[in-house]
PDB file of all heavy atoms in Angstrom:
ATOM      1  N   LEU A  69      13.404  28.587  -3.842  1.00 95.00           N
ATOM      2  CA  LEU A  69      11.939  28.555  -3.710  1.00 95.00           C
ATOM      3  C   LEU A  69      11.448  28.384  -2.274  1.00 95.00           C
ATOM      4  O   LEU A  69      10.347  28.811  -1.947  1.00 95.00           O
ATOM      5  CB  LEU A  69      11.367  27.409  -4.564  1.00 95.00           C
ATOM      6  CG  LEU A  69      11.409  27.622  -6.075  1.00 95.00           C
ATOM      7  CD1 LEU A  69      11.125  26.311  -6.819  1.00 95.00           C
ATOM      8  CD2 LEU A  69      10.403  28.692  -6.506  1.00 95.00           C
ATOM      9  N   SER A  82       2.916  24.481  -2.364  1.00 97.00           N
ATOM     10  CA  SER A  82       2.506  23.659  -3.510  1.00 97.00           C
ATOM     11  C   SER A  82       2.606  24.462  -4.802  1.00 97.00           C
ATOM     12  O   SER A  82       2.964  23.928  -5.856  1.00 97.00           O
ATOM     13  CB  SER A  82       1.076  23.156  -3.326  1.00 97.00           C
ATOM     14  OG  SER A  82       1.042  22.219  -2.283  1.00 97.00           O
ATOM     15  N   GLU A  83       2.288  25.738  -4.717  1.00 97.00           N
ATOM     16  CA  GLU A  83       2.434  26.591  -5.895  1.00 97.00           C
ATOM     17  C   GLU A  83       3.907  26.624  -6.330  1.00 97.00           C
ATOM     18  O   GLU A  83       4.225  26.618  -7.511  1.00 97.00           O
ATOM     19  CB  GLU A  83       1.937  27.996  -5.554  1.00 97.00           C
ATOM     20  CG  GLU A  83       1.762  28.871  -6.767  1.00 97.00           C
ATOM     21  CD  GLU A  83       1.179  30.221  -6.373  1.00 97.00           C
ATOM     22  OE1 GLU A  83      -0.035  30.293  -6.200  1.00 97.00           O
ATOM     23  OE2 GLU A  83       1.955  31.184  -6.228  1.00 97.00           O
ATOM     24  N   ARG A  84       4.786  26.599  -5.339  1.00 97.00           N
ATOM     25  CA  ARG A  84       6.224  26.623  -5.653  1.00 97.00           C
ATOM     26  C   ARG A  84       6.692  25.283  -6.222  1.00 97.00           C
ATOM     27  O   ARG A  84       7.591  25.242  -7.051  1.00 97.00           O
ATOM     28  CB  ARG A  84       7.019  27.048  -4.422  1.00 97.00           C
ATOM     29  CG  ARG A  84       6.733  28.511  -4.181  1.00 97.00           C
ATOM     30  CD  ARG A  84       7.372  29.192  -3.036  1.00 97.00           C
ATOM     31  NE  ARG A  84       7.143  30.620  -3.261  1.00 97.00           N
ATOM     32  CZ  ARG A  84       8.091  31.548  -3.342  1.00 97.00           C
ATOM     33  NH1 ARG A  84       9.341  31.228  -3.152  1.00 97.00           N
ATOM     34  NH2 ARG A  84       7.795  32.798  -3.592  1.00 97.00           N
ATOM     35  N   ILE A  85       6.087  24.195  -5.765  1.00 97.00           N
ATOM     36  CA  ILE A  85       6.390  22.889  -6.376  1.00 97.00           C
ATOM     37  C   ILE A  85       5.899  22.906  -7.826  1.00 97.00           C
ATOM     38  O   ILE A  85       6.538  22.363  -8.729  1.00 97.00           O
ATOM     39  CB  ILE A  85       5.735  21.742  -5.572  1.00 97.00           C
ATOM     40  CG1 ILE A  85       6.361  21.659  -4.174  1.00 97.00           C
ATOM     41  CG2 ILE A  85       5.905  20.418  -6.308  1.00 97.00           C
ATOM     42  CD1 ILE A  85       5.691  20.664  -3.237  1.00 97.00           C
ATOM     43  N   HIS A  86       4.788  23.580  -8.051  1.00 95.00           N
ATOM     44  CA  HIS A  86       4.271  23.697  -9.411  1.00 95.00           C
ATOM     45  C   HIS A  86       5.207  24.537 -10.284  1.00 95.00           C
ATOM     46  O   HIS A  86       5.366  24.256 -11.480  1.00 95.00           O
ATOM     47  CB  HIS A  86       2.855  24.290  -9.388  1.00 95.00           C
ATOM     48  CG  HIS A  86       2.130  24.105 -10.678  1.00 95.00           C
ATOM     49  ND1 HIS A  86       1.993  25.100 -11.610  1.00 95.00           N
ATOM     50  CD2 HIS A  86       1.544  22.999 -11.215  1.00 95.00           C
ATOM     51  CE1 HIS A  86       1.344  24.630 -12.660  1.00 95.00           C
ATOM     52  NE2 HIS A  86       1.055  23.360 -12.450  1.00 95.00           N
ATOM     53  N   ILE A  87       5.852  25.531  -9.693  1.00 95.00           N
ATOM     54  CA  ILE A  87       6.832  26.332 -10.456  1.00 95.00           C
ATOM     55  C   ILE A  87       7.968  25.421 -10.943  1.00 95.00           C
ATOM     56  O   ILE A  87       8.410  25.508 -12.082  1.00 95.00           O
ATOM     57  CB  ILE A  87       7.380  27.494  -9.587  1.00 95.00           C
ATOM     58  CG1 ILE A  87       6.255  28.512  -9.344  1.00 95.00           C
ATOM     59  CG2 ILE A  87       8.588  28.163 -10.248  1.00 95.00           C
ATOM     60  CD1 ILE A  87       6.599  29.602  -8.326  1.00 95.00           C
ATOM     61  N   LEU A  88       8.400  24.494 -10.078  1.00 94.00           N
ATOM     62  CA  LEU A  88       9.413  23.515 -10.497  1.00 94.00           C
ATOM     63  C   LEU A  88       8.893  22.676 -11.664  1.00 94.00           C
ATOM     64  O   LEU A  88       9.622  22.368 -12.607  1.00 94.00           O
ATOM     65  CB  LEU A  88       9.738  22.561  -9.345  1.00 94.00           C
ATOM     66  CG  LEU A  88      10.666  23.023  -8.233  1.00 94.00           C
ATOM     67  CD1 LEU A  88      10.712  21.967  -7.139  1.00 94.00           C
ATOM     68  CD2 LEU A  88      12.071  23.248  -8.780  1.00 94.00           C
ATOM     69  N   ALA A  89       7.611  22.292 -11.574  1.00 93.00           N
ATOM     70  CA  ALA A  89       7.014  21.436 -12.605  1.00 93.00           C
ATOM     71  C   ALA A  89       6.949  22.153 -13.945  1.00 93.00           C
ATOM     72  O   ALA A  89       7.237  21.572 -14.996  1.00 93.00           O
ATOM     73  CB  ALA A  89       5.625  20.973 -12.163  1.00 93.00           C
ATOM     74  N   VAL A  90       6.609  23.443 -13.906  1.00 92.00           N
ATOM     75  CA  VAL A  90       6.573  24.224 -15.144  1.00 92.00           C
ATOM     76  C   VAL A  90       7.969  24.239 -15.774  1.00 92.00           C
ATOM     77  O   VAL A  90       8.127  24.209 -16.988  1.00 92.00           O
ATOM     78  CB  VAL A  90       6.065  25.660 -14.856  1.00 92.00           C
ATOM     79  CG1 VAL A  90       6.217  26.551 -16.081  1.00 92.00           C
ATOM     80  CG2 VAL A  90       4.600  25.614 -14.426  1.00 92.00           C
ATOM     81  N   GLY A  91       8.988  24.207 -14.922  1.00 89.00           N
ATOM     82  CA  GLY A  91      10.365  24.115 -15.413  1.00 89.00           C
ATOM     83  C   GLY A  91      10.751  22.711 -15.848  1.00 89.00           C
ATOM     84  O   GLY A  91      11.897  22.459 -16.219  1.00 89.00           O
ATOM     85  N   GLY A  92       9.817  21.766 -15.791  1.00 89.00           N
ATOM     86  CA  GLY A  92      10.068  20.420 -16.302  1.00 89.00           C
ATOM     87  C   GLY A  92      10.457  19.420 -15.240  1.00 89.00           C
ATOM     88  O   GLY A  92      10.883  18.304 -15.566  1.00 89.00           O
ATOM     89  N   ASN A  93      10.309  19.770 -13.969  1.00 91.00           N
ATOM     90  CA  ASN A  93      10.820  18.901 -12.916  1.00 91.00           C
ATOM     91  C   ASN A  93       9.725  18.674 -11.861  1.00 91.00           C
ATOM     92  O   ASN A  93       9.450  19.557 -11.049  1.00 91.00           O
ATOM     93  CB  ASN A  93      12.036  19.612 -12.295  1.00 91.00           C
ATOM     94  CG  ASN A  93      13.019  18.645 -11.684  1.00 91.00           C
ATOM     95  OD1 ASN A  93      12.663  17.514 -11.352  1.00 91.00           O
ATOM     96  ND2 ASN A  93      14.247  19.090 -11.510  1.00 91.00           N
TER      97      ASN A  93
END
Side-chain angles (χ1 to χ4, degrees):
L69 288 167
S82 291
E83 192 176 279
R84 290 180 167 237
I85 295 174
H86 195 259
I87 291 171
L88 281 174
V90 171
N93 206 338

